[in-house]
Amino acid sequence: AQSVTQPDIHITVSEGASLELRCNYSYGATPYLFWYVQSPGQGLQLLLKYFSGDTLVQGIKGFEAEFKRSQSSFNLRKPSVHWSDAAEYFCAVGGNYGGSQGNLIFGKGTKLSVKP
Amino acid sequence: KAGVTQTPRYLIKTRGQQVTLSCSPISGHRSVSWYQQTPGQGLQFLFEYFSETQRNKGNFPGRFSGRQFSNSRSEMNVSTLELGDSALYLCASTSGLAARDTQYFGPGTRLTVL
């Protein structure tokens, strides 16, 4: 069965420090991978997505992610964190099920706190 | 372009009641998906609609139902509410059915069941 694991429930980093959020997936075929961010009381905003091609994907707000098939990972990175990045981050895997986009399968999320 | 809108934003109900939540997708989008978000279970897929047809359904009891109208607006209904139905219900719209199509999420409806 498809699944997504985000091993870190909560991460705290200092403002200006680099960030890496981990995501591992289990999927039978080539996965479509997504990172979403959710601020308190808000819906989900797409940061970036991977379908094929270049394994390093650039997203909004200075985020990037690297797809590593051999490790079944899709880790999210940012070189310098800003206080406004404090939020919860969700990794998701999706696919095309018989002509339907199907559902996204989400990890449990990683809550990011930023120290001044 | 206006984003996905969900109404109401907050709702308080008591056990045994039923509730209807509404979602208006981005103009031109024809696919709507619903998700339930709880602290314990995280984000779970409820169902997906395209052109008024349910295309995909998650693993939820029959008390959870939905529909889509000809203008792509969607509603979901939960009958005989239970305490465990307290959650943030998120709606997402997509222009089509391709897996590449990005799902754009609304702000959610916070349902509290007392």
Side-chain angles (χ1 to χ4, degrees), chain A residues 32 34 36 38 41-44 46 49 51-52 90 95-96 99-104 106 108, chain B residues 9 35 37 40-41 43 45 48 55-56 88 90 94 97-103 105-107:
Chain A
Y32 298 145
F34 308 81
Y36 283 87
Q38 185 178 36
Q42 301 296 315
L44 300 171
L46 180 70
K49 58 186 178 182
F51 294 123
S52 63
F90 294 91
N96 212 348
S100 164
Q101 180 173 82
N103 55 299
L104 289 176
F106 286 88
K108 290 294 178 76
Chain B
R9 290 292 311 277
Y35 294 82
Q37 185 177 24
Q41 299 300 315
L43 282 150
F45 171 75
E48 175 194 25
R55 299 298 299 260
N56 205 356
L88 181 67
L90 293 165
T94 314
L97 288 176
R100 295 170 176 268
D101 294 334
T102 298
Q103 293 193 26
F105 284 81

Side-chain angles (χ1 to χ4, degrees), chain A residues 37-58:
Chain A
V37 61
Q38 185 178 36
S39 298
Q42 301 296 315
L44 300 171
Q45 182 184 22
L46 180 70
L47 288 174
L48 47 79
K49 58 186 178 182
Y50 171 80
F51 294 123
S52 63
D54 194 347
T55 56
L56 187 61
V57 181
Q58 301 297 321

